[in-house]
Amino acid sequence: MGETASCRSVWWKRGTVYQVYPRSFQDTNGDGVGDLKGITRRLDYLAWLGVDAVWISPFYPSPMADFGYDVSDYCGVDPLFGTLADFDDLVAEAHRHKLKVILDFVPNHTSIAHPWFAESRAARANPRRDWYIWRDPAPDGGPPNNWLSNFGGPAWTRDAATGQYYYHAFLPEQPDLNWRNPAVRAAMHDVLRFWLDRGVDGFRVDVIWHLIKDEGFRDNPENPDFLPHLPEINRFAQVYSADRPEVLDVISEMRRVLEAYDERVLIGEIYLPIERLVAYYGPELDCADLPFNFQLIQTPWRADAVRDLVENYEAALPPGGWPNWVLGNHDQPRIAARIGLPQARIAAMLLLTLRGTPTLYYGDEIGLDHVSIPPDRVQDPWERNEPGHGRDPERTPMQWESGPFAGFSTVEPWLPLSADAEIRNVDEMCDVPGSMLTLYRRLLGLRREHAALALGEYRTVPDGPATVFAYERRAEETTIRIVLNFGEEAHRLDLPEGSAWSVLLSSHAGRSGERAAGTVGLAPAEGLILLRL
């Protein structure tokens, strides 16, 4: 499955993306919050680790109702994070380190404090009224329909001055733009060009499947599978408030803006089933280069379930569509918190050996786990609206060294550190052969060393124990076999007759260079990467 030759010159197909949540990466000015200079300071680390691109979550001017995903100026830097000059320095230094820079683009909604919204709400006759989504009340005076906010409660807020409701898929402080308005599209295309002209190498587009809403604003149907423990947004199927077919036209226009620049990448955040996810490549592969594939976050952590996922995803990709894989991000519990540290090592090996572009989330490479957040330190507005659904534990500061505040800051950070920060940090783990950090670095090194892992074809190895997922990556004369033990029992696995293999890497320390023929041993919760000799 898959092509290789045409991919060689496209960096985002052969490379690895590393997500930085800037509030939590490195503080350089002693306010307990990370900043752009902090990212620049740690570029040496990213180059050492072996990633190819850094994706930076929002740093634009914002009232921070949703920590930067409520943008009040798309063409600036919030003073909390620095200045435009700091950003320019970051891009220049990243490129000097041969690292690409991907920005978070948040086009679905602005801040309530954005000048566009101030004009829009000023009067029904204001020229920017139609830049946002305004509707008259329902006959009973309530919201226009039953659409819900992703953060809990109605998705409509009544504006007393004009008597209409405005729509917000998230917080009331985040009114949705009207992407059916050509003037909105043109203004947002200019935003893309502003950052492209400053040298950025692509964009991750926030909630891209939300951009177009049903023109008739019909009620969403009830979800028959809704359970009380789920977030309230799941009470209705989001049939009319998101994933509308016209959204592909919007994305195609964005893509054409990027195509005026060399080798820029367009990544779309899309939480949809595989059959809908792959539609976002576009009918002629003219929409998102990489519709983000979050299925590993949502699939049960069993060998059979993951194997079926990979096969179904590969089969669903359109011809020429390039796959991608994600284990976690700023909105999801960390991989180590979901499956435990031993299996998190298997997950790292899976992520970095499957066909396609992998995205790493900062801190996963040192095994950051769930960090408890005391009630008086909760920051996430979603947690305040719907307790139990908060995202603070996956946004805690990166841990660089032992000592006060783990080298992240000189003062108490905005969120707590992990309880084991004295040992779970980069300095303590970087030279330890069996550490999680060493495993990630070696995996990234193997991707660069072997074209079969970066660009090669994928083939499932069908036979073996139920708790083992095995597959091969192939390019030209090279065959690499990956075997991952999701279980707690050791196994002896058969290898093809007449072939000899060398262990390139084990998720456990100490097996590199070991030779195998006929069979190979696999310890509990162990992954192996084998090179056919």
Side-chain angles (χ1 to χ4, degrees):
M1 300 178 183
E3 55 185 329
T4 60
S6 64
C7 305
R8 296 187 186 282
S9 63
V10 184
W11 65 266
W12 51 264
K13 289 186 175 179
R14 65 178 182 268
T16 305
V17 179
Y18 183 100
Q19 182 190 357
V20 165
Y21 193 68
R23 296 181 69 90
S24 297
F25 202 57
Q26 178 67 62
D27 171 24
T28 62
N29 63 358
D31 63 359
V33 176
D35 44 53
L36 294 181
K37 286 184 176 180
I39 300 173
T40 303
R41 176 177 158 186
R42 296 298 184 178
L43 291 174
D44 284 345
Y45 166 75
L46 296 181
W48 170 86
L49 183 61
V51 299
D52 301 282
V54 53
W55 152 31
I56 308 171
S57 294
F59 52 77
Y60 313 108
S62 168
M64 300 295 167
D66 189 24
F67 297 108
Y69 284 93
D70 50 318
V71 179
S72 58
D73 177 3
Y74 284 103
C75 297
V77 173
D78 194 284
L80 183 70
F81 299 116
T83 66
L84 270 175
D86 294 334
F87 175 78
D88 291 339
D89 289 344
L90 169 56
V91 172
E93 281 299 298
H95 289 166
R96 188 177 69 80
H97 283 80
K98 302 190 184 308
L99 293 166
K100 305 292 186 180
V101 177
I102 299 169
L103 296 195
D104 226 315
F105 180 46
V106 189
N108 179 67
H109 45 263
T110 71
S111 166
I112 202 169
H114 197 292
W116 295 345
F117 189 71
E119 291 185 52
S120 183
R121 78 185 309 180
R124 292 195 184 197
N126 190 281
R128 282 210 167 98
R129 184 68 168 185
D130 195 41
W131 281 46
Y132 293 83
I133 298 171
W134 294 92
R135 301 291 290 174
D136 287 329
D140 64 358
N145 62 24
N146 70 353
W147 296 359
L148 295 175
S149 164
N150 285 262
F151 287 162
W156 297 93
T157 292
R158 187 176 182 275
D159 180 64
T162 61
Q164 286 189 314
Y165 283 83
Y166 67 87
Y167 176 70
H168 49 88
F170 296 89
L171 296 173
E173 293 86 355
Q174 295 170 290
D176 279 39
L177 285 162
N178 176 17
W179 273 84
R180 293 184 182 273
N181 185 334
V184 169
R185 297 191 193 189
M188 297 303 269
H189 294 165
D190 285 343
V191 170
L192 294 174
R193 294 186 187 99
F194 175 86
W195 295 107
L196 289 164
D197 289 341
R198 299 190 95 89
V200 306
D201 300 287
F203 299 91
R204 173 268 191 188
V205 184
D206 187 58
V207 297
I208 199 170
W209 82 106
H210 275 267
L211 293 181
I212 293 290
K213 289 76 173 172
D214 178 54
E215 201 163 21
F217 294 92
R218 288 170 283 184
D219 280 350
N220 281 323
E222 289 191 12
N223 176 9
D225 298 323
F226 177 73
L227 297 172
H229 71 276
L230 295 173
E232 187 183 17
I233 186 66
N234 294 287
R235 184 175 298 278
F236 299 102
Q238 308 302 301
V239 173
Y240 297 117
S241 55
D243 193 29
R244 303 303 299 160
E246 305 96 315
V247 75
L248 296 182
D249 296 332
V250 171
I251 301 169
S252 181
E253 290 179 6
M254 288 186 195
R255 174 75 173 268
R256 288 198 290 274
V257 172
L258 269 66
E259 285 176 347
Y261 300 77
D262 290 336
E263 285 197 11
R264 298 323 201 252
V265 65
L266 188 68
I267 304 169
E269 182 195 25
I270 304 165
Y271 282 94
L272 290 173
I274 287 176
E275 64 272 14
R276 288 301 307 145
L277 170 70
V278 297
Y280 283 75
Y281 285 99
E284 303 293 333
L285 297 183
D286 61 349
C287 291
D289 295 305
L290 299 174
F292 251 153
N293 170 16
F294 298 122
Q295 303 299 315
L296 281 176
I297 297 173
Q298 300 165 331
T299 297
W301 193 253
R302 301 191 317 268
D304 61 336
V306 174
R307 180 190 303 110
D308 289 348
L309 162 64
V310 176
E311 292 178 349
N312 292 338
Y313 177 57
E314 284 277 0
L317 288 167
W322 188 247
N324 69 95
W325 297 96
V326 181
L327 285 177
N329 58 36
H330 61 289
D331 289 330
Q332 302 294 333
R334 287 193 174 272
I335 184 63
R338 300 200 307 270
I339 63 175
L341 282 168
Q343 285 294 321
R345 301 173 72 89
I346 301 296
M349 192 167 277
L350 176 75
L351 176 71
L352 294 172
T353 59
L354 285 172
R355 189 174 82 96
T357 302
T359 296
L360 284 64
Y361 185 50
Y362 85 96
D364 281 353
E365 76 273 23
I366 59 171
L368 274 182
D369 204 332
H370 178 86
V371 178
S372 295
I373 310 296
D376 63 343
R377 297 199 63 182
V378 167
Q379 303 284 341
D380 186 11
W382 192 3
E383 175 68 13
R384 291 171 178 163
N385 287 347
E386 292 190 278
H389 299 292
R391 301 162 295 175
D392 289 337
E394 50 265 27
R395 299 176 175 186
T396 59
M398 182 64 173
Q399 296 169 180
W400 297 104
E401 60 193 47
S402 301
F405 313 122
F408 166 75
S409 180
T410 56
V411 300
E412 185 72 32
W414 76 289
L415 282 173
L417 300 164
S418 74
D420 60 354
E422 281 293 306
I423 57 172
R424 190 162 301 286
N425 62 69
V426 170
D427 276 3
E428 288 291 320
M429 300 173 75
C430 64
D431 294 324
V432 177
S435 73
M436 182 78 81
L437 179 56
T438 298
L439 176 64
Y440 266 92
R441 187 168 185 246
R442 293 195 63 190
L443 285 165
L444 289 161
L446 288 177
R447 281 184 62 87
R448 288 186 170 182
E449 183 180 349
H450 295 280
L453 289 177
L455 301 168
E457 297 179 353
Y458 167 89
R459 183 184 78 87
T460 299
V461 176
D463 299 324
T467 59
V468 173
F469 176 27
Y471 52 95
E472 289 182 350
R473 303 294 310 284
R474 297 177 177 181
E476 300 176 349
E477 300 301 315
T478 300
T479 298
I480 294 177
R481 178 171 289 205
I482 298 95
V483 289
L484 306 174
N485 190 355
F486 287 64
E488 297 303 319
E489 295 182 3
H491 296 284
R492 195 85 198 165
L493 305 179
D494 292 332
L495 296 171
E497 292 185 11
S499 63
W501 302 76
S502 175
V503 175
L504 291 177
L505 183 62
S506 166
S507 60
H508 297 11
R511 295 190 64 180
S512 297
E514 179 182 316
R515 298 299 179 92
T519 64
V520 65
L522 191 63
E526 182 181 23
L528 288 176
I529 301 177
L530 304 167
L531 173 67
R532 188 167 187 165
L533 300 175

